[in-house]
């Protein structure tokens, strides 16, 4: 009896097993946005990786493949939120003033201040996270400021400690970013320490 098996037409293609995954850049964008919105909505402590993944529309394993811990995710999310320091100004005072206003504005963005304060607090009792914070978040900005201001490392670290510490303290104590009038007052307090240029306090 002759076979009646028919061959697939040359133009036919087998159906794809599954659609391609979201591109890497797309995953990062979705997860970072979900991280900030989840922190803003639920608070830092309740913004678990599971909840962030669900808000981003990705599997929890997808997040953990890229960021082994919540702390590392938050650090990279903050780097993305802050972007490069603008470092603009006609002179040292103007450059430092614009930098302080830039940091204050970024910390005031939805979710950013909460995420920053939360990961900073976690790092107090987590040496590994402190190392990640210093190397991946602080050092790029420290180095850029050292180059721009021609200041030694200890002075730039003092500048960062004073400015960021004050802004995060206000956020932690009130739940709100520092108002513009207080940011201006902070600038006036900080600038005289650096007015004489490179050197020691």
């Amino acid at each position: 009896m002759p076979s009646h098996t028919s061959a697939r037409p040359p133009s036919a293609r087998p159906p794809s097993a599954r659609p391609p995954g979201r591109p890497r850049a797309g995953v990062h964008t979705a997860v970072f946005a979900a991280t900030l919105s989840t922190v803003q909505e639920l608070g830092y402590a309740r913004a678990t990786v599971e909840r962030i993944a669900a808000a981003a529309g990705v599997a929890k394993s997808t997040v953990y493949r890229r960021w082994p811990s919540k702390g590392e995710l938050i650090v990279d999310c903050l780097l993305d939120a802050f972007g490069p320091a603008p470092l603009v100004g006609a002179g040292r005072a103007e450059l430092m003033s614009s930098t302080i206003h830039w940091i204050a504005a970024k910390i005031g963005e939805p979710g950013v201040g909460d995420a920053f304060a939360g990961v900073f607090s976690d790092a107090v009792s987590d040496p590994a996270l402190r190392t990640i914070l210093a190397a991946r978040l602080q050092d790029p900005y420290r180095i850029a400021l050292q180059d721009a201001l021609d200041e030694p490392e200890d002075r730039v670290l003092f500048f960062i400690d004073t400015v960021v510490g004050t802004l995060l303290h206000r956020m932690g104590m009130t739940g709100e970013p520092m108002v513009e009038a207080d940011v201006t007052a902070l600038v006036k307090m900080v600038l005289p320490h650096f007015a004489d240029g490179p050197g020691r306090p």
Side-chain angles (χ1 to χ4, degrees), residues 25-200:
V27 170
H28 283 210
T29 299
V31 171
F32 290 157
T35 298
L36 294 180
S37 64
T38 304
V39 168
Q40 175 76 2
E41 179 184 355
L42 302 177
Y44 180 84
R46 295 180 63 205
T48 61
V49 171
E50 290 82 356
R51 285 171 169 156
I52 291 168
V58 300
K60 180 175 66 174
S61 58
T62 298
V63 177
Y64 277 122
R65 274 199 302 271
R66 291 162 171 79
W67 300 281
S69 68
K70 175 181 172 180
E72 290 183 74
L73 167 59
I74 295 293
V75 168
D76 279 359
C77 180
L78 290 171
L79 274 172
D80 180 75
F82 275 87
L87 298 177
V88 294
R92 290 170 55 83
E94 191 175 329
L95 187 151
M96 285 187 288
S97 175
S98 67
T99 298
I100 293 170
H101 281 281
W102 166 72
I103 295 171
K106 287 294 182 180
I107 287 177
E109 290 180 0
V112 174
D114 294 339
F116 201 168
V119 75
F120 189 82
S121 178
D122 280 355
V124 171
S125 57
D126 187 340
L129 181 55
R130 284 203 302 273
T131 299
I132 292 168
L133 271 173
R136 284 163 57 176
L137 186 61
Q138 178 173 263
D139 280 357
Y141 297 110
R142 172 187 58 80
I143 292 167
L145 281 167
Q146 278 183 241
D147 291 343
L149 297 172
D150 189 26
E151 288 279 5
E153 180 176 343
D154 61 338
R155 293 250 292 173
V156 172
L157 284 174
F158 182 70
F159 175 78
I160 293 171
D161 287 345
T162 302
V163 173
V164 177
T166 301
L167 293 169
L168 290 184
H169 182 272
R170 174 63 62 87
M171 175 67 74
M173 295 304 294
T174 68
E176 298 290 337
M178 187 174 283
V179 298
E180 181 62 24
D182 288 345
V183 175
T184 299
L186 177 62
V187 170
K188 291 179 180 179
M189 291 172 61
V190 170
L191 291 192
H193 181 77
F194 292 88
D196 295 333
R200 291 294 187 271

